[in-house]
């Protein structure tokens, strides 16, 4: 993140030049880049819950470029999802062991409206001599009532975790689910073919 600033009186957060790094072992430097994120925060809900419950009335992501990288039988999205699932499992384990602890409770986030514009999905696969690169421009996406739990209360870290969840959500929404599954099936089939060829 190059720029992060908050307009306290209006409850507007602006984040510019966001980069989401690729998991280790993948070639592309970033899984996603986002030109700008604008967030309208419900300050009343945040104050009444002492920061434990955050309601964003609107979250707009502009100029979003995502890279679906296929490596063997998995994609970078699969690795990111596994990482997020492990984090959630750790939080659940802490809550079970210390149910009375205030710090064991996750920070709840509700985004009433998500708008994604300028969305481009790049597909990259490199196995031996086989290299595939495609770019697909997708129409503006709107989604209502997106909710998530984050393991932190600080706003910058909360937004970072929320962006990770949104990346997975954007690419697995109903209107794009077939598109992404098709990419993953094609990548898995190609990966098997390449592996059998080189082994």
């Amino acid at each position: 993140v190059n720029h992060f600033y908050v307009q306290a009186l209006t409850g507007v957060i602006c984040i510019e030049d966001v980069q989401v790094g690729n998991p280790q072992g993948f070639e592309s430097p970033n899984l996603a880049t986002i030109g700008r994120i604008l967030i309208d925060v419900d300050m009343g809900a945040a104050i009444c819950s002492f920061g434990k419950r955050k309601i964003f009335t609107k979250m707009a992501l502009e100029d979003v470029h995502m890279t679906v990288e296929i490596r063997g039988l998995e994609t970078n999205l699969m690795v990111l999802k596994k990482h997020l699932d492990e984090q959630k499992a750790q939080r659940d384990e802490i809550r079970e062991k210390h149910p009375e602890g205030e710090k064991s409770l996750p920070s709840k986030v509700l985004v009433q409206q998500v708008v994604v514009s300028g969305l481009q999905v790049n597909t990259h696969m490199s196995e031996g001599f086989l290299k595939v690169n495609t770019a697909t421009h997708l129409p503006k996406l709107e989604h209502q009532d997106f909710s998530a739990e984050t393991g932190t209360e600080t706003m910058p870290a909360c937004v970072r975790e929320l962006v990770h969840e949104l990346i997975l959500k954007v690419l697995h929404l109903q209107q794009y689910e077939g598109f992404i599954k098709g990419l993953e099936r094609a990548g898995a089939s190609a990966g098997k073919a390449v592996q059998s060829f080189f082994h």
Side-chain angles (χ1 to χ4, degrees):
V1 175
N2 287 337
H3 302 285
F4 186 107
Y5 51 92
V6 180
Q7 298 177 7
L9 295 178
T10 59
V12 175
I13 299 174
C14 180
I15 312 167
E16 295 179 344
D17 300 328
V18 178
Q19 297 181 354
V20 180
N22 229 351
Q24 188 174 3
F26 291 90
E27 294 183 5
S28 304
N30 295 310
L31 188 153
T33 61
I34 306 170
R36 185 169 68 164
I37 301 175
L38 292 172
I39 303 172
D40 292 332
V41 182
D42 185 335
M43 299 299 291
I47 293 171
C48 291
S49 63
F50 299 99
K52 294 296 295 182
R53 190 162 187 263
K54 299 176 178 65
I55 297 179
F56 299 160
T57 55
K58 184 176 181 180
M59 187 171 182
L61 289 74
E62 302 173 355
D63 297 325
V64 181
H65 290 190
M66 296 183 175
T67 300
V68 179
E69 188 171 343
I70 302 166
R71 182 187 65 183
L73 303 181
E74 65 180 2
T75 69
N76 51 352
L77 290 174
M78 295 176 185
V79 175
L80 175 61
K81 184 177 187 306
K82 181 180 178 181
H83 173 69
L84 294 177
D85 289 344
E86 289 173 350
Q87 285 187 329
K88 184 178 183 303
Q90 290 174 356
R91 290 198 294 266
D92 291 343
E93 184 178 353
I94 292 174
R95 286 206 303 274
E96 289 178 3
K97 290 182 178 179
H98 307 283
E100 74 289 349
E102 180 80 13
K103 293 183 179 179
S104 69
L105 295 174
S107 180
K108 298 182 183 297
V109 183
L110 171 65
V111 185
Q112 295 176 339
Q113 182 185 26
V114 178
V115 180
V116 182
S117 59
L119 178 58
Q120 175 178 314
V121 178
N122 305 305
T123 308
H124 173 70
M125 181 175 67
S126 178
E127 289 283 352
F129 296 107
L130 180 62
K131 296 185 182 298
V132 177
N133 291 285
T134 64
T136 305
H137 295 271
L138 299 176
K140 185 168 85 170
L141 167 69
E142 294 190 21
H143 184 65
Q144 306 294 326
D145 295 332
F146 174 80
S147 61
E149 289 185 353
T150 65
T152 179
E153 295 182 17
T154 64
M155 188 63 74
C158 172
V159 171
R160 183 182 65 244
E161 289 190 34
L162 186 60
V163 167
H164 288 169
E165 293 280 0
L166 276 171
I167 286 173
L168 293 175
K169 189 68 175 180
V170 164
L171 288 175
H172 289 85
L173 286 173
Q174 186 174 1
Q175 55 264 56
Y176 299 130
E177 188 173 359
F179 170 75
I180 294 301
K181 284 186 176 179
L183 285 179
E184 292 182 347
R185 283 197 299 268
S189 299
K192 288 180 181 178
V194 170
Q195 285 182 343
S196 63
F197 179 79
F198 285 100
H199 293 83

